Amino acid sequence: MDDVTDFYTIGELARRTGLRARTIRFWSDSGVVPPVQRSEGGYRLYDAEAVARLDLVRTLRDLGLGLDAVQQVLERRVTLREVADLHVKALDAEIRTLKIRRSVLRVLTERDSSTKEIALINALARLSARERRQIIDDFVDHVFADVVDEDAALVGGWMRDLPAELPEDPTSGQVGAWVELAELAGDESFRQTVRRMVLSGEGDNRLEYGLDLRPLVLEHAGAALSRGLAPEADEAKPVLTRIIPGDLPAQEVAALIDWLEMVAEPRVERYWQLLSILRGQEPSPPAVPAFRWVLAALRAHR
């Protein structure tokens, strides 16, 4: 420091603050810590306030703020609180991206993925909440197009019930579930399957009937499956009667077989399981095997 002028050169500031002279020069060139004046030899000179200013700039830079933001704070164009709040949000977004990237890598360690599949998994996992919502909305809008049935509208609402965001620190299972769900929603054969199911139930009470039938199927057909009872066996007849009345007319039995062939679709059940996983819930045990047991038993005995 010059005893006469009480000014510091860049070299003296560097020794006093521990910063590199090149860093101080760069910040000075950027206007963050401007010199007070220049010496007769053309050297930049700084006053005691520059020391405090450099300490603040270093602290803000260590916290990750850009020089533009630092300068706005120093010039009081924005408050430090405002800048800090924006920076916290930016860091939160960056941390979230890193967590998702880590989860994607976990998924890749658990499956033998091709180069194309790796790119797809990464792209799908990094989509914004709005983009993920759009994928599901497009799927539901397609399969329920022009259907005004109240039951169908209810099911459509359930199929849209996707969390707004992936969890803060998604597990590999949740990332994998989202990727699988997006692949299902974009699969044309799956769309056609669900569309046929929706159109077949329009205007009748299929939803109510299916909800009433499900617990009976799970209880009795599920138990038969657990025991290893073949649906074609004679012992399966009383089990089937507990689920489907034995006096059901042949025409209704035929219609029921057609309905069961359509609803006992593993991919549809998988869709519901994936939604549960994304909501952080334990998915329901598979019901399709029990429904297929009933279907096989109906063909064998009715």
Side-chain angles (χ1 to χ4, degrees):
M1 185 171 182
D2 191 312
D3 291 334
V4 177
T5 61
D6 290 341
F7 289 149
Y8 296 95
T9 64
I10 286 180
E12 290 168 336
L13 276 179
R15 288 191 293 274
R16 184 177 180 88
T17 63
L19 289 165
R20 291 183 179 182
R22 60 190 294 183
T23 299
I24 298 174
R25 187 173 293 108
F26 176 70
W27 289 353
S28 181
D29 290 341
S30 301
V32 175
V33 186
V36 175
Q37 65 181 56
R38 287 183 178 267
S39 68
E40 292 181 0
Y43 292 102
R44 285 177 271 201
L45 300 174
Y46 303 84
D47 59 12
E49 184 180 340
V51 177
R53 193 177 181 95
L54 280 171
D55 283 340
L56 177 57
V57 172
R58 175 167 50 187
T59 298
L60 295 178
R61 292 289 288 149
D62 286 345
L63 290 172
L65 271 68
L67 283 180
D68 287 343
V70 170
Q71 190 160 8
Q72 289 179 28
V73 171
L74 294 174
E75 294 175 357
R76 291 182 170 81
R77 283 185 279 157
V78 295
T79 66
L80 180 56
R81 179 176 179 177
E82 290 170 336
V83 172
D85 182 59
L86 289 173
H87 199 60
V88 165
K89 292 175 181 176
L91 285 174
D92 286 344
E94 184 177 354
I95 290 169
R96 178 175 176 76
T97 297
L98 289 173
K99 287 180 176 179
I100 290 177
R101 189 177 301 166
R102 179 181 63 186
S103 297
V104 168
L105 290 172
R106 283 178 183 157
V107 171
L108 297 180
T109 65
E110 296 169 2
R111 55 200 290 182
D112 187 16
S113 303
S114 65
T115 302
K116 183 177 180 180
E117 187 180 22
I118 291 171
L120 175 64
I121 292 172
N122 187 45
L124 289 174
R126 291 167 66 89
L127 291 177
S128 68
R130 182 186 60 79
E131 291 168 328
R132 283 194 295 273
R133 167 64 59 194
Q134 191 62 51
I135 288 175
I136 301 305
D137 282 345
D138 286 347
F139 163 69
V140 176
D141 289 344
H142 172 78
V143 299
F144 288 88
D146 302 321
V147 176
V148 295
D149 179 70
E150 289 185 5
D151 284 346
L154 181 62
V155 174
W158 292 341
M159 298 191 86
R160 294 182 198 270
D161 191 15
L162 182 75
E165 292 279 1
L166 283 172
E168 181 67 23
D169 189 6
T171 64
S172 58
Q174 287 169 321
V175 171
W178 163 244
V179 172
E180 189 178 345
L181 185 68
E183 290 173 331
L184 264 182
D187 185 274
E188 187 57 34
S189 68
F190 179 67
R191 287 178 169 229
Q192 292 175 2
T193 296
V194 179
R195 175 72 173 169
R196 284 195 300 270
M197 294 172 65
V198 170
L199 293 177
S200 71
E202 190 175 9
D204 63 21
N205 62 345
R206 296 281 179 90
L207 175 60
E208 183 178 354
Y209 179 73
L211 292 175
D212 290 340
L213 185 63
R214 181 183 175 89
L216 294 174
V217 171
L218 291 178
E219 179 183 357
H220 302 298
L225 274 171
S226 298
R227 299 199 310 272
L229 178 60
E232 301 84 5
D234 288 339
E235 294 85 349
K237 291 181 181 179
V239 177
L240 179 61
T241 303
R242 297 188 190 103
I243 303 169
I244 308 296
D247 57 354
L248 193 68
Q251 185 177 358
E252 292 190 32
V253 170
L256 180 59
I257 288 175
D258 288 343
W259 180 76
L260 284 171
E261 285 178 336
M262 183 172 51
V263 300
E265 165 58 61
R267 292 182 300 171
V268 174
E269 181 171 60
R270 184 58 179 162
Y271 185 98
W272 299 115
Q273 290 175 330
L274 293 170
L275 285 182
S276 294
I277 293 171
L278 288 171
R279 289 194 292 265
Q281 302 167 352
E282 188 70 25
S284 301
V288 165
F291 274 93
R292 288 192 175 278
W293 188 97
V294 172
L295 178 60
L298 278 171
R299 287 173 171 157
H301 305 295
R302 300 287 179 88

